């Protein structure tokens, strides 16, 4: 499932390519992927311009010239492709937005969605999300205050979107590896220095992953050289049996609350 770095990568790449362009055609092939009748959806979008693309947690927000928005969550298996009739993937597209000859295909939205909201509705939809990890105003003091009161495992708490937004299965493990802390430990047993290590690790991992283009390897457009670069440099995630980059001990995998979890049993304490 795309997490914060993947959605931030999409936001940056799409901002350079579709912001300021009018939507010339809309195709809805699966009504369950949207939240209003297709005829209304088409009417609301036809001729409108995407003025800005924001990200909140694992969501993208396409701001429209009408003052309303499209809220995207790709969930498990969802992805996007920006192209045309000649180069698009041979996959079922749930929604297609055309910008002249270029089209943005929303693929795999069986669990995900592309919903249309006014400003009040959008705020309500996002109201229960926790703080943004990369918000410059989000401090170590706030981080420690949030997690000091938590008694659950680090892994399961980091992926709780109401506690902190944007972290999922992959990056919770990567953050713990960066901090040299086992994800199966509990927050209420951490020292102050370990909170600091997790906070710093979170910032470091996310900046590194965004710079690399995230770990999702489906290209966003033809000759896309950016998307998916982090998959080649993951430290622990999906590396069971491989040697730890720090100490060469084999990485192990455990199941934590039905989530696969990877860590080094030697250099993560």
């Amino acid at each position: 499932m795309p997490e914060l770095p993947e959605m931030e990568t999409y936001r940056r790449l799409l901002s350079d390519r579709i912001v300021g362009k009018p939507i010339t055609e809309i195709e809805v092939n699966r009504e369950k992927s949207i939240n209003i009748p297709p005829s209304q959806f088409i009417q609301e979008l036809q001729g409108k311009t995407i003025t800005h693309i924001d990200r909140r947690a694992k969501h993208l927000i396409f701001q429209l010239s009408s003052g309303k928005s499209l809220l995207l969550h790709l969930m498990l298996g969802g992805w996007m492709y920006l192209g045309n009739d000649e180069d698009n993937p041979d996959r079922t597209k749930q929604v297609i937005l055309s910008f002249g000859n270029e089209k943005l295909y929303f693929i795999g939205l069986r669990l995900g969605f592309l919903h249309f909201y006014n400003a009040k509705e959008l705020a309500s939809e996002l109201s229960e999300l926790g703080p943004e990890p990369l918000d410059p105003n989000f401090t170590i003091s706030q981080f420690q205050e949030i997690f000091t009161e938590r008694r659950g495992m680090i892994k399961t708490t980091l992926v709780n979107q109401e506690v902190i937004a944007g972290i999922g299965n992959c990056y919770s493990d990567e953050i713990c590896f960066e901090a040299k802390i086992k994800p199966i430990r509990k927050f209420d047993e951490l020292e102050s220095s370990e909170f600091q290590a997790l906070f710093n690790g979170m910032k470091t991992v996310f900046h590194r992953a965004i710079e690399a283009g995230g770990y999702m390897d489906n290209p966003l457009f033809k000759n896309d050289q950016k998307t998916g670069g982090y998959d080649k440099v993951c430290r622990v995630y999906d590396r069971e049996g491989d040697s730890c980059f720090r100490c060469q001990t084999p990485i192990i995998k455990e199941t934590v609350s039905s989530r696969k979890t990877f860590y080094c049993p030697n250099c993560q304490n």
Side-chain angles (χ1 to χ4, degrees):
M1 179 187 295
E3 302 178 33
L4 187 156
E6 288 70 49
M7 300 312 286
E8 181 63 22
T9 297
Y10 292 148
R11 186 196 71 80
R12 295 181 182 188
L13 292 176
L14 287 175
S15 293
D16 291 338
R17 288 164 174 80
I18 64 173
V19 165
K21 295 181 178 180
I23 300 171
T24 55
E25 189 177 352
I26 304 97
E27 182 178 335
V28 178
N29 298 315
R30 183 175 184 269
E31 292 187 27
K32 289 184 179 179
S33 296
I34 60 177
N35 62 326
I36 57 177
S39 58
Q40 183 185 352
F41 188 83
I42 292 169
Q43 183 180 9
E44 291 280 6
L45 268 59
Q46 187 71 47
K48 303 302 188 296
T49 299
I50 294 177
T51 60
H52 193 71
I53 304 175
D54 294 319
R55 181 195 54 76
R56 179 71 171 102
K58 302 177 186 180
H59 303 78
L60 283 191
I61 304 165
F62 298 90
Q63 303 282 0
L64 301 170
S65 53
S66 62
K68 299 177 182 180
S69 304
L70 289 173
L71 181 66
L72 172 71
H73 198 311
L74 293 173
M75 296 293 283
L76 186 65
W79 54 296
M80 293 178 286
Y81 185 82
L82 184 66
N84 54 48
D85 292 336
E86 284 72 45
D87 68 16
N88 69 83
D90 185 19
R91 293 281 301 275
T92 301
K93 292 90 177 175
Q94 282 71 45
V95 182
I96 303 172
L97 302 184
S98 295
F99 303 85
N101 294 326
E102 198 165 43
K103 298 181 179 182
L104 181 57
Y105 303 92
F106 295 90
I107 304 166
L109 292 185
R110 309 302 292 182
L111 299 175
F113 57 81
L114 184 67
H115 286 179
F116 180 82
Y117 293 121
N118 61 34
K120 184 177 180 180
E121 292 167 338
L122 178 66
S124 177
E125 285 297 314
L126 301 175
S127 62
E128 295 186 0
L129 290 172
E132 283 286 325
L134 295 183
D135 186 335
N137 296 316
F138 184 51
T139 65
I140 176 60
S141 297
Q142 292 170 317
F143 179 85
Q144 189 161 350
E145 182 179 353
I146 289 171
F147 288 105
T148 297
E149 300 175 358
R150 300 283 167 173
R151 298 183 179 277
M153 283 189 188
I154 295 173
K155 169 79 173 190
T156 55
T157 308
L158 284 178
V159 300
N160 185 337
Q161 298 304 293
E162 294 182 9
V163 177
I164 191 166
I167 303 175
N169 217 33
C170 172
Y171 294 105
S172 56
D173 290 352
E174 294 290 293
I175 290 166
C176 288
F177 178 79
E178 188 71 24
K180 299 182 180 180
I181 296 171
K182 285 186 174 71
I184 57 174
R185 288 180 61 192
K186 295 185 177 181
F187 267 108
D188 61 355
E189 63 186 39
L190 294 184
E191 309 261 343
S192 180
S193 60
E194 292 176 311
F195 277 105
Q196 183 73 61
L198 276 175
F199 181 78
N200 293 343
M202 177 181 68
K203 301 278 189 178
T204 298
V205 165
F206 275 151
H207 284 301
R208 181 192 297 144
I210 292 169
E211 181 63 28
Y215 77 91
M216 304 294 289
D217 58 3
N218 292 318
L220 183 60
F221 48 84
K222 187 177 181 180
N223 299 321
D224 175 9
Q225 300 298 312
K226 181 71 171 179
T227 306
Y230 191 75
D231 185 52
K232 304 175 183 64
V233 293
C234 274
R235 271 46 173 182
V236 287
Y237 186 73
D238 230 5
R239 295 191 62 244
E240 181 185 15
D242 292 346
S243 297
C244 172
F245 286 115
R246 280 194 294 250
C247 69
Q248 281 66 62
T249 301
I251 300 298
I252 65 173
K253 179 177 79 171
E254 288 191 20
T255 301
V256 176
S257 297
S258 301
R259 295 175 179 269
K260 58 182 182 179
T261 303
F262 301 87
Y263 63 91
C264 174
N266 181 52
C267 67
Q268 288 181 253
N269 300 314

